[in-house]
Amino acid sequence: MLCLHDSIRHDDPAVQRLLGAVEDAPSLTALILAAWQVARVLTVHLIEAVLAERACRPLAWPRCPQCGVFLRSKGFATRQVMSLFGPIRWRRRVGRCPHGCAIPQVAPLDETLGIQPQQRTSGELQQLGCALAVFVPFATAARLLGWYSGRTVSPQAVWGWVQAAGHRAMETLQEHLHALAQGDLPAPEALAADLAAAPLVLGADGVMVPFRPTGGQPTGKTRWQEIKVGVLARLGQHRTRTGKVVTRLHHRRLVAVLGGVDALQPRLWLEAVRQGIRQAPQVVWLSDGARGLWRLYEERLAAYAVGILDFYHAAQYLWKGADGVLADLVEALEVEGLPDSARDTLTALYAYLDRHRDHIDYAQYKDLGLPIGSGMVESACKWLIQQRFKGVGMRWSENGFNHLLHLRLAWVNGRFEALFGLALSPNL
Ligand SMILES: [Zn+2]
């Protein structure tokens, strides 16, 4: 049984100094901050005491990966890792091959603790840094982290963690897309009964992001590139305080890609299967008139989803009753002496309405409680990108954008903790 007294030396001058600062703190805030320093030192002592005890336990040495004989201890060596509470040090046995094979030094305790050989910061610090970076610039994230850890954290360190975690997220996605392409469908996500009974809505939109010039130089003309974003959610009704019934998106999931509709399609389908497109009682595809997105709908979703053309986009064409308008248009196009410009406009209008004939039965959609505007789809898409990637003066490298985008997706989709394999929940 671990005893706190064993791990803290009462005569430790560093602890005495910190305790003195607590006693002398004039204001409540200063008192709390001074006590926090004590807590941090105690925490480090506690962790180091546990590690010291574990390092003394007998251990089973693995075999040399090259010659197969059991490795042998070369004695104790010090290891240090930066944590949320400051640096943590421990001494543990390291082993080498007795035949002198050129293999890296092996530390079985580190492996048991889940520490990688080159790792210099512990998981909880990286996770918090990445969580902050999902919302604020790297420099701000580094500064906030510095407040908590009591040490300077560099923006480059935060970027390094984002890269590592973003890379894991992208690799996992690639594995899932590969499995999907092999016909291996993912299991639908578990849903509460009321959500499972609600209609599933899908939509997509394009959002422009500023990138550095080709080659990634910091100077030169900004390149704007489109990010395709898809949203999937369950539709819920909510009554406001004034008694008005409004539609809300629940269990919102986002997919996004720096690329075109063809790159979006498998990602959207993967998530659609996870969100129960094959089981949902009603599925709706909501979109404006963008043709690539309607092609995606036809190719991938039409077997499951009703397609609804955004009412407000259709209204721009002064739609009043599709069949009547279409008939009038055919007549109008036959009028002799029609100026070419008018003919072009009417032809475009005819093609638009004809293409979306099945997607504009608004009276029926309203009766079914389905939304007829894609505004909420578009704002969900915009939020993912706008809030973090379009700050004043921001310009991205494709590499930087992609790593952070996948962390942000993990966050909004409730998969962030899984990415780090730890939960930083306060209700442990
Ligand atoms: Zn060997």
Side-chain angles (χ1 to χ4, degrees), residues 64-69 71 97-103:
C64 169
Q66 278 185 22
C67 71
V69 306
L71 301 184
C97 174
H99 290 173
C101 292
I103 56 160

Side-chain angles (χ1 to χ4, degrees), residues 28 52 63 65 107 115 124 228 247 291 343 376 403-404 411 428:
L28 179 64
R63 289 173 188 275
I115 306 281
E124 83 295 330
K228 286 270 187 261
T247 309
R291 264 193 220 198
R343 190 176 297 275
M376 64 177 126
H403 284 90
L404 189 57
W411 183 277
L428 290 172

Side-chain angles (χ1 to χ4, degrees), residues 47-280:
I47 295 165
E48 289 182 345
V50 171
L51 291 176
E53 190 270 322
R54 287 191 194 177
C56 295
R57 290 180 194 170
L59 52 83
W61 288 98
R63 289 173 188 275
C64 169
Q66 278 185 22
C67 71
V69 306
F70 287 106
L71 301 184
R72 214 172 281 165
S73 174
K74 301 290 285 177
F76 282 81
T78 304
R79 180 76 159 90
Q80 178 173 319
V81 159
M82 182 65 185
S83 81
L84 191 56
F85 302 97
I88 310 257
R89 276 180 214 91
W90 68 98
R91 284 173 62 71
R92 78 286 190 246
R93 284 196 196 94
V94 293
R96 284 210 181 273
C97 174
H99 290 173
C101 292
I103 56 160
Q105 163 179 294
V106 173
L109 177 59
D110 296 1
E111 259 174 58
T112 315
L113 293 169
I115 306 281
Q116 303 300 315
Q118 307 302 325
Q119 193 176 335
R120 286 184 303 163
T121 43
S122 51
E124 83 295 330
L125 186 62
Q126 295 191 19
Q127 181 173 2
L128 192 54
C130 287
L132 290 169
V134 162
F135 296 97
V136 297
F138 295 127
T140 314
R143 187 146 174 237
L144 291 172
L145 219 49
W147 287 359
Y148 282 85
S149 64
R151 302 281 158 151
T152 307
V153 177
S154 72
Q156 287 73 21
V158 178
W159 161 232
W161 306 335
V162 164
Q163 244 178 325
H167 184 76
R168 289 199 295 277
M170 287 193 271
E171 277 197 326
T172 307
L173 174 64
Q174 284 310 325
E175 279 165 25
H176 293 160
L177 288 174
H178 182 75
L180 187 75
Q182 306 297 308
D184 192 359
L185 297 183
E189 236 172 62
L191 277 180
D194 57 331
L195 283 180
L200 172 66
V201 62
L202 293 91
D205 200 8
V207 184
M208 301 304 284
V209 167
F211 283 87
R212 289 186 192 154
T214 319
Q217 304 97 319
T219 56
K221 200 167 164 10
T222 298
R223 271 187 314 139
W224 288 87
Q225 294 200 77
E226 193 175 43
I227 313 305
K228 286 270 187 261
V229 187
V231 58
L232 308 94
R234 296 289 173 153
L235 280 178
Q237 304 286 331
H238 173 79
R239 193 176 290 276
T240 64
R241 271 182 300 173
T242 55
K244 200 180 150 205
V245 176
V246 293
T247 309
R248 283 252 175 101
L249 298 183
H250 297 290
H251 201 77
R252 193 183 60 175
R253 295 289 181 261
L254 292 164
V255 295
V257 66
L258 168 56
V261 172
D262 290 338
L264 178 71
Q265 182 160 321
R267 288 165 168 81
L268 189 64
W269 176 239
L270 176 72
E271 199 55 48
V273 175
R274 275 195 197 128
Q275 298 314 314
I277 192 171
R278 289 148 38 98
Q279 295 82 20

Side-chain angles (χ1 to χ4, degrees), residues 325-385:
V325 173
L326 286 168
D328 290 350
L329 282 171
V330 171
E331 257 178 53
L333 284 167
E334 283 162 3
V335 171
E336 279 180 39
L338 193 67
D340 283 351
S341 60
R343 190 176 297 275
D344 289 349
T345 307
L346 291 176
T347 306
L349 174 56
Y350 179 87
Y352 184 89
L353 289 177
D354 189 47
R355 204 160 53 237
H356 293 299
R357 224 173 192 157
D358 300 334
H359 310 142
I360 49 185
D361 190 359
Y362 297 120
Q364 195 209 337
Y365 303 146
K366 269 205 141 158
D367 290 347
L368 290 170
L370 299 176
I372 55 171
S374 54
M376 64 177 126
V377 163
E378 281 150 21
S379 53
C381 296
K382 286 206 171 67
W383 174 84
L384 177 76
I385 301 300

